[in-house]
């Protein structure tokens, strides 16, 4: 979704803004813009362009044209008003002296706009953001902070704002409510950014703005205020991500790089948490009393993170015998969930900023649940609002389609299931040991799957022309199919559905005809015979079957399926962790052959910060 960068300091601002925005491109956007203070004319120079950031950057010769050391920049993902130059940010007030960049939605913008129009204020865009710029000017009487504060009492919704005023060019004002915004500190000056990747080249010293906080950035530092405009001391933390982690490093696509990084990401996530034959969570614990009293577990997430939850449900219920419900972040609030103080609510999110997941978290907290989140981005909103956090340590994930974050979330949730079972005494010692050693084997076995990627590429070449694909499987394989199907459709634009195999006969099988491609998942040994029956069933209706199974079952599957992708045998607990890799590769190669924009699929954003 929208990306914000702001800088005030001792360097030329525009190149820093454009470079920072290029680091935020992965979030998804449709237009871009910058505003800088032009010291010669005493005005704001605002430049905006629909389309790729490169268009804007070319127009400004990489920022060299704009001689200024203070400015704000933005990549816009359209909500109010179509993507266009005029609707791009920065949005300016009627005099052009106040410029605003915004991520989020101002929910009461129509009402505020009507008020301003009645006062004779002319509007030029269809955006909700213009209301903020116009309203600040309406209240401005020489004190920008006071005007911003009055506006904040009137606007409703979710927002991160960067505000520049030609009358006070020695400052940028930043505001955050339910939208990510971080502050960066360096010798060069002060920064704001939607996420840390935008400013990593300049600083690793950051602080995270809290909801309702206002920051005033100057060349010498940053002052912060709470909702009541009382000064607050911000903790400055050092980010341990490397700039190289957020670069392609010779790979054609971030997605492919991130697929290939998975074994290392799993090592980073899991190895420190298995010590001397035990699962050890240094960063987290649940009291014995809570664990004993725990009656129910909810897993709440969106998209691929939700699919992790679908696998997690099977693991948790099997291992702990505690009932688990998996809920979509966007549905949770509206389903009157049964949560009390004996409920563990596991919130899963790569970005830690997904608004629907965040809203679900808040609802679960209101109802008294204990919130444990599994998050990748350190210091993100979800991490900060949870009772406890387990970080996945996957490093920055740039491709819109998640791969290494999914894998680390899944491995961590599997490890958590095992840990809980150990605390509850519901797992026999022998099984516990077998599962622990499977975790140690996982990265190596992932490497083995990745080393055979040519065979997946070959299958992709055979099937990339299909217009509709079904993923079928039972139990763990069904949950795995949900992710395989999403991965394929989001980046290749092929219509694809995931079905629990047993459901085929209840309707879907009518869609199977000569040449329909069915990806049949049969990795779960316990249900392999059933998986085979379903393959026979769809073959009999003319389907082409591309199967996925383990080395153990390869031969049997080859007799019936048209093509077989194989993963090494591993303990059931980690079958989905291994099985997802060929499905990610299949989706990647299919999208590549169809010429799709793999890292930035149409209409999608990396971090979904609107409802
Ligand atoms: C799909 C994908 C999305 C995210 C979803 C939740 O490849 O990446 O479905 O999983 O938007 O995002 P997070 O995990 O950041 O809350």
């Amino acid at each position: 979704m929208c990306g914000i960068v702001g800088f005030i300091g001792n360097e030329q601002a525009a190149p820093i803004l454009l470079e920072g925005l290029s680091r935020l491109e992965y979030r998804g956007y449709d237009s871009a813009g910058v505003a800088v203070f032009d010291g010669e004319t005493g005005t704001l120079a605002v430049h905006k362009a629909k389309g790729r950031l490169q268009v804007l950057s070319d127009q400004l010769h990489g920022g060299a044209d704009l001689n200024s050391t203070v400015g704000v920049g933005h990549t816009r993902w359209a909500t109010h008003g179509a993507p266009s130059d005029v609707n791009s940010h920065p949005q300016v007030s009627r005099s052009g002296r106040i410029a605003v960049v915004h991520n989020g939605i101002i929910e009461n913008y129509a009402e505020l706009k009507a008020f301003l129009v009645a006062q004779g204020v002319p509007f030029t865009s269809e955006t909700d953001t213009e209301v903020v710029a116009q309203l600040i000017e309406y209240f401005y009487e020489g004190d920008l902070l006071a005007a911003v504060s009055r506006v904040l009492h009137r606007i409703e919704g979710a927002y991160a704002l960067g505000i520049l005023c030609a009358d006070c060019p020695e400052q940028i004002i930043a505001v955050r409510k339910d939208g990510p915004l971080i502050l960066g500190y360096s010798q060069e000056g002060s920064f704001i950014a939607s996420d840390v990747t935008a400013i990593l080249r300049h600083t690793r010293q950051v602080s995270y703005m809290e909801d309702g906080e206002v920051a005033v950035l100057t060349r010498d530092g940053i002052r912060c205020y709470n909702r009541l405009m009382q000064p607050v001391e911000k903790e400055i933390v050092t980010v341990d991500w490397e700039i190289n982690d957020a670069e392609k490093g010779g790979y054609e696509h971030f997605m492919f790089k991130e697929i290939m990084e998975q074994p290392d990401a799993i090592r980073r996530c899991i190895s420190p948490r298995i010590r001397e034959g035990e699962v050890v969570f240094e960063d987290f614990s649940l009291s014995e009393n809570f664990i004993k009293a725990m009656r129910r577990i909810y897993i709440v997430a969106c998209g691929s993170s939700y699919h992790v939850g679908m696998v997690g449900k099977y693991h948790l219920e099997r291992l702990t015998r505690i009932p688990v419900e998996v809920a979509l972040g966007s549905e949770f609030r509206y389903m009157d969930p049964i949560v009390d103080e004996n409920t563990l609510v596991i919130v899963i999110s790569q970005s830690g900023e997904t608004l629907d997941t965040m809203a679900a978290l808040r609802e679960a907290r209101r109802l008294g649940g204990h919130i444990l989140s599994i998050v990748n981005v350190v210091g993100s909103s979800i991490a900060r609002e949870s009772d406890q956090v387990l970080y996945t340590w996957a490093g920055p994930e740039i491709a819109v389609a998640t791969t290494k974050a999914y894998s680390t979330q899944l491995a961590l949730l599997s490890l958590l299931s095992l840990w809980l079972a150990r605390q509850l005494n519901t797992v026999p010692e022998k099984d516990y040991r077998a599962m622990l050693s499977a975790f140690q084997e996982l990265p190596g076995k992932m490497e083995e799957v990745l080393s055979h990627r040519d065979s997946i590429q070959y299958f992709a070449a055979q099937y990339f022309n299909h217009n509709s694909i079904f993923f079928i499987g039972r139990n763990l394989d069904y949950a795995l199919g949900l992710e395989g199907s999403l991965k394929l459709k989001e980046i290749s634009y092929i219509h694809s559905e995931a079905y629990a195999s047993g459901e085929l006969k209840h309707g879907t099988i009518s869609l199977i005809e000569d040449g329909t491609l069915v990806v049949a998942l049969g990795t779960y040994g316990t249900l392999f015979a059933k998986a085979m029956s379903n393959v026979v069933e769809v073959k009999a209706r003319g389907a082409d079957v591309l199967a996925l199974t383990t080395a153990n079952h390869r031969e049997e599957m080859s007799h019936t399926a048209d093509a077989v992708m194989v993963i090494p045998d591993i303990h059931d607990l980690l079958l989905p962790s291994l099985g997802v890799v060929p499905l990610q590769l299949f989706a990647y190669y299919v999208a590549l052959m169809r010429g799709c924009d793999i890292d930035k699929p149409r209409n999608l954003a990396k971090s979904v910060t609107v409802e």
Side-chain angles (χ1 to χ4, degrees), residues 55 67 105 120 125 156 174 178-179 181 210 234 268 286 292 327 378 381 392 417 419 474 485 522 524 575 581 611:
V55 177
N67 200 9
I105 289 178
S125 80
E156 289 163 16
D178 295 337
L181 203 59
E210 302 289 340
K234 297 299 293 176
R268 268 201 310 275
L286 290 175
K292 287 215 174 99
V378 174
S381 307
T392 47
S417 311
W419 180 84
R474 284 173 195 258
S485 169
Y524 187 31
L575 279 169
V581 180
E611 187 174 351

Side-chain angles (χ1 to χ4, degrees), residues 301-307 348-355 357 374 377 382 397 399-403 405-406 409 483 486-487 490-491 604-608:
C302 296
S304 293
S305 300
Y306 170 80
H307 296 158
I348 308 176
S349 175
Q350 185 285 128
S351 61
E353 301 293 349
T354 302
L355 196 80
T357 308
I374 295 182
V377 178
I382 288 175
E397 189 177 68
V400 164
T402 181
T403 52
Y406 171 93
Q409 288 168 347
E483 178 59 8
L486 176 62
K487 215 77 311 169
E490 68 180 324
I491 59 168
L604 288 178
K606 182 69 182 162
S607 166
V608 183

